[in-house]
Amino acid sequence: MPQDTLTITDNRTGQSYNLPITDGTIRAMDLRKIKTKPDDFGLMTYDPAFTNTASCRSAITYIDGDRGILRYRGYPIEVLAEHCTYLEVAYLILFGELPTASQLKTWVHEITHHTMLNESTKKFMEGFRHDAHPMAMLVSTVAALASMYPEARQVHDHENRLLQIKRLIGKMPSIAAMSYRHSVGFPYVYPDNDLTYPENFMNMLWKMVEPKYVANPAIARAIDILFILHADHEQNCSTNAMRCVGSSEADPYLSTAAAAAALSGPLHGGANEEVLRMLDEIGSKENVHAYIRKIKEGKGKLMGFGHRVYKNYDPRAKIIKWTADRVFEVTGHNAKLEIALELERIALEDDYFVQRKLYPNVDFYSGIIYQAMGFKPEMFTVLFAIPRTIGWLAQWQEMLSDPEQKIARPRQIWVGHDTREFVPIEKREKQQPATV
Ligand code: ACO
């Protein structure tokens, strides 16, 4: 018997099956051979929320959640955050190798020359209410780009795909900044090609009447590091949305909008906004014990804590803590940091959190830094979506190039009625409303 196999005995029939084990997995389709009779559909697995199902083979991001390891294309996140710019990391994530100096120069030039938005985007933006959530504006505007680049539908044309990827990486900060300026009622600012990617973003956010925007280098570097940390995170909820929507061969703008919509939820990228609300609710260090007690009684969750994959300290949270100190040197101390540190200290000693392996995740400290930089909590998830765009697009490209991938379409276990006889409306008796 080959060693890398799994023997399954079906006790309904007494029959045994040998299934090959490859890369620590069995193929779900191999289970379909397991039948009680020839016309039986065959066995399926039931895995709501994909907690134990690999949906793809990927060579982009590696996470070892038990050991707190995160690597892009084999390089540890700590090394990339220390030595690289975001655009350098974006190149690595997309193409698989770090760029040479001349490759990087060309790449930066190309991205910089795609930061401009079509003027009609302004009109689109003006249609939003003054208090529209910036994430709703971002998602809708990214989707609207599909109307400007109809050729993007040719998703199997490699060159065309690359052009749309460069456009999206270039335009995300422009759309994000526009949504911010709209929410505060300021005129939109055009990109400035002399500036780096984070500096240009700052320019589009914060330039007022000065002829040339000059970015604070410490803040620009902090934004770049935060962008590196958020660039990809393997098969998370929004990436799964990107792959799922992209698998229907929808164009990259619509698929990216779908991924960004998934990111907006409070259990995913929306958590950083919730962390700030939670810290406001706690109010001061003295109230932390009482707040933790409330969480342990099942009244809510500690936002910014816990992760589906990390059962150890999220390596990104460590780098963010370090980055926070550099930012506070410029902006001054943020009182919320004290509450957050106390919350972390108490939670990490508490049995409830220790037993469940709940550690701070990337969202726990990022909001505090963003707030110190002057962002409103509503902008936090937008700040996550900008850098994650390269992750979504690299995963989308990998999915399209994978001959094993098809349109994503899970199965279900039917729990509804068997065939029922139709009752004409005049004969229907009052029934309980159907539960949905
Ligand atoms: N606070 C308190 N208890 C928690 C928390 C939390 N933040 N997270 C999980 N738990 C508890 C659960 O209630 C559960 O307890 P039980 O076993 O007594 O029922 C146990 O820990 C396991 O939690 P699950 O919900 O099964 O973990 P899952 O992997 O499904 O969820 C998630 C992961 C969604 C991130 C969850 O930890 C959470 O909601 N955290 C808060 C929101 C957050 O910070 N999200 C950002 C994640 S990072 C990102 O997406 C970028």
Side-chain angles (χ1 to χ4, degrees), residues 73 75 88-100 103:
R73 302 282 190 186
Y75 295 100
E88 198 176 349
V89 171
Y91 184 101
L92 169 72
I93 288 177
L94 186 64
F95 297 108
E97 296 297 337
L98 282 165
T100 62
Q103 283 170 328

Side-chain angles (χ1 to χ4, degrees), residues 267-268 271 301-306 308 352 356 358 361 363:
L267 298 188
H268 191 12
K301 278 184 174 172
L302 203 53
M303 297 314 283
F305 258 71
R308 171 62 58 77
Y352 176 96
R356 289 169 177 78
L358 299 170
N361 60 48
D363 288 322

Side-chain angles (χ1 to χ4, degrees), residues 67-246:
R67 294 196 290 152
I69 290 174
L70 168 61
R71 297 183 201 130
Y72 298 152
R73 302 282 190 186
Y75 295 100
I77 189 70
E78 296 80 0
V79 176
L80 296 172
E82 189 180 346
H83 298 287
C84 296
T85 62
Y86 168 71
L87 283 187
E88 198 176 349
V89 171
Y91 184 101
L92 169 72
I93 288 177
L94 186 64
F95 297 108
E97 296 297 337
L98 282 165
T100 62
S102 83
Q103 283 170 328
L104 182 61
K105 198 167 164 226
T106 310
W107 172 245
V108 171
H109 178 88
E110 287 174 330
I111 300 297
T112 307
H113 287 79
H114 281 298
T115 49
M116 200 85 167
L117 290 163
N118 185 297
E119 277 298 282
S120 61
T121 317
K122 268 195 200 168
K123 293 203 197 98
F124 192 82
M125 200 51 83
E126 276 153 16
F128 291 112
R129 281 171 54 132
H130 69 282
D131 57 353
H133 196 289
M135 208 44 200
M137 289 192 257
L138 180 96
V139 170
S140 322
T141 311
V142 171
L145 292 183
S147 67
M148 286 167 200
Y149 305 111
E151 78 278 11
R153 272 179 256 163
Q154 275 135 50
V155 296
H156 290 295
D157 174 344
H158 183 78
E159 283 310 305
N160 177 41
R161 229 163 43 207
L162 197 54
L163 172 63
Q164 313 312 329
I165 290 174
K166 286 175 196 163
R167 280 186 174 141
L168 267 161
I169 303 306
K171 292 181 200 316
M172 281 306 259
S174 313
I175 299 172
M178 227 182 204
S179 68
Y180 167 74
R181 302 278 297 198
H182 178 84
S183 68
V184 288
F186 291 156
Y188 308 129
V189 175
Y190 287 104
D192 179 342
N193 287 358
D194 292 341
L195 303 177
T196 65
Y197 193 77
E199 286 171 348
N200 185 33
F201 180 45
M202 291 164 73
N203 159 62
M204 292 186 288
L205 287 167
W206 296 319
K207 182 171 184 287
M208 296 307 277
V209 290
E210 66 274 36
K212 180 98 182 158
Y213 182 79
V214 181
N216 179 300
I219 302 288
R221 181 60 189 148
I223 290 180
D224 220 29
I225 292 176
L226 285 159
F227 280 4
I228 292 171
L229 302 183
H230 287 90
D232 192 46
H233 212 233
E234 54 120 301
Q235 306 314 312
N236 55 83
C237 177
S238 55
T239 302
N240 184 54
M242 181 83 193
R243 282 183 175 258
C244 180
V245 175

Side-chain angles (χ1 to χ4, degrees), residues 135 263-264 269-273 377-386:
M135 208 44 200
L263 185 75
S264 71
N272 49 17
E273 197 176 326
E378 296 87 278
M379 273 300 282
F380 296 172
T381 315
V382 170
L383 294 165
F384 191 153
I386 297 170

